[in-house]
Amino acid sequence: MTFAPLVVSTLFILLTSLLAHCARKLTTKLIKDPFVKILFEEAIAAAELCGCCFELIIIADNFGVATYAIFLFVLTIWWSLNWGDATACPYTHLEEYVEGKIDIRKMLLKTFAELTGGLLVFKYVQMYWALEISDTHKDRAFEDCKADLQVPMFYGAIVEGIATCICRLSSKSLGDLSPKFATAIDSFIGTSLVVAAFDYSGGYFNPVLATSLKYGCDGNTIIEHGVVYWVGACAGALLSIYLYKMPFVQKFIHGSSDTNGSIWDESKEE
């Protein structure tokens, strides 16, 4: 296969990122209420995430998981630098609710905004695929999708849960310690976990992303989808809250009083 289809996919991802960037700028300019603004930003971030990841499916199917991983690594860095306070991920709000930082109303509204953005963006993706600019998009706009879950439901939930927990623990520790290249480190860890889980659950670690890309696909029931991608991921995120506060985890991350510092000290700027 030539690289022309990869160029087409790259241009679609760039277009999607540019449109989302412009939408964020417009939101900042027009909406003054902070909470309403973050709701729009969550919807935009979810639409950008899911729109790009629909195209990453094309890349993975035609150019392999390694190419997919490179794109995901770069995109994760871009999202981290451009989304501001938006996360496009429901369990971050669940964590905030459990920690008493927001009430249940705000948690549900943010989740609804993300689901809205994530689900509506498929029409945009479908329009692009229907143009069939490259062979890799041929018949993809209206074909029946297939679920990524390749293991029993409970195993899939464990995979999504453990990987989500590791992702959240690494993000929390990097956020606290702020080592040099923290964004790239976080992206590398997340991308590595996605690749590791790719042939088991698909490696979504985000309920909105999984719902946008795979809800209703052949091979999964509604219950299976909910347990693996919602219960599994959310349970992993909640587990990370309690694990991160445990003394042995804090000692491992920050270092004890009789050591020279944390495990990230060598990554910090002098």
Side-chain angles (χ1 to χ4, degrees):
M1 179 179 289
T2 66
F3 284 98
L6 186 60
V7 172
V8 172
S9 290
T10 302
L11 291 174
F12 174 77
I13 290 172
L14 290 174
L15 174 63
T16 303
S17 300
L18 176 62
L19 290 174
H21 181 71
C22 292
R24 276 190 292 272
K25 292 291 187 183
L26 190 62
T27 297
T28 300
K29 183 177 181 180
L30 297 179
I31 301 176
K32 302 306 178 184
D33 183 276
F35 184 64
V36 175
K37 179 171 172 284
I38 192 63
L39 290 181
F40 274 87
E41 288 175 343
E42 288 289 2
I44 292 166
E48 180 181 6
L49 169 70
C50 297
C52 290
C53 285
F54 270 114
E55 196 62 33
L56 288 185
I57 293 174
I58 301 291
I59 291 173
D61 287 348
N62 292 277
F63 298 96
V65 176
T67 306
Y68 163 88
I70 293 170
F71 273 79
L72 181 60
F73 174 75
V74 174
L75 280 169
T76 304
I77 294 175
W78 164 261
W79 295 329
S80 180
L81 296 175
N82 286 274
W83 281 0
D85 292 331
T87 65
C89 188
Y91 55 64
T92 58
H93 317 311
L94 178 61
E95 289 181 29
E96 289 178 320
Y97 171 71
V98 170
E99 293 175 324
K101 297 177 181 178
I102 61 173
D103 58 34
I104 192 169
R105 170 182 162 273
K106 289 183 177 180
M107 180 191 77
L108 293 175
L109 286 173
K110 286 183 178 182
T111 301
F112 178 76
E114 291 162 353
L115 277 170
T116 300
L119 293 174
L120 289 180
V121 77
F122 179 65
K123 289 298 180 184
Y124 157 77
V125 175
Q126 196 174 45
M127 287 172 58
Y128 185 82
W129 285 356
L131 297 174
E132 298 188 352
I133 298 173
S134 72
D135 291 340
T136 54
H137 290 156
K138 188 173 178 60
D139 299 326
R140 294 301 292 262
F142 302 100
E143 73 173 1
D144 293 332
C145 61
K146 291 180 172 56
D148 282 339
L149 185 62
Q150 303 297 315
V151 295
M153 179 180 69
F154 289 111
Y155 290 165
I158 290 171
V159 169
E160 289 284 315
I162 291 175
T164 298
C165 184
I166 295 172
C167 278
R168 295 303 295 146
L169 287 171
S170 66
S171 294
K172 292 174 195 295
S173 60
L174 289 167
D176 282 352
L177 298 172
S178 300
K180 188 178 181 180
F181 307 122
T183 301
I185 294 170
D186 198 29
S187 178
F188 178 79
I189 293 171
T191 300
S192 299
L193 288 167
V194 168
V195 172
F198 194 82
D199 291 329
Y200 299 95
S201 65
Y204 288 91
F205 318 149
N206 182 327
V208 165
L209 177 62
T211 297
S212 176
L213 270 61
K214 293 298 176 179
Y215 180 76
C217 290
D218 293 339
N220 273 169
T221 65
I222 295 175
I223 293 176
E224 287 173 334
H225 180 91
V227 169
V228 173
Y229 300 112
W230 282 85
V231 176
C234 289
L238 291 178
L239 178 61
S240 75
I241 296 175
Y242 299 104
L243 285 179
Y244 193 68
K245 294 176 181 177
M246 296 185 75
F248 79 90
V249 174
Q250 288 296 311
K251 182 177 179 180
F252 176 75
I253 293 171
H254 295 282
S256 60
S257 58
D258 59 348
T259 64
N260 292 325
S262 77
I263 60 172
W264 297 107
D265 279 350
E266 293 183 2
S267 297
K268 290 185 178 181
E269 293 192 52
E270 299 293 335

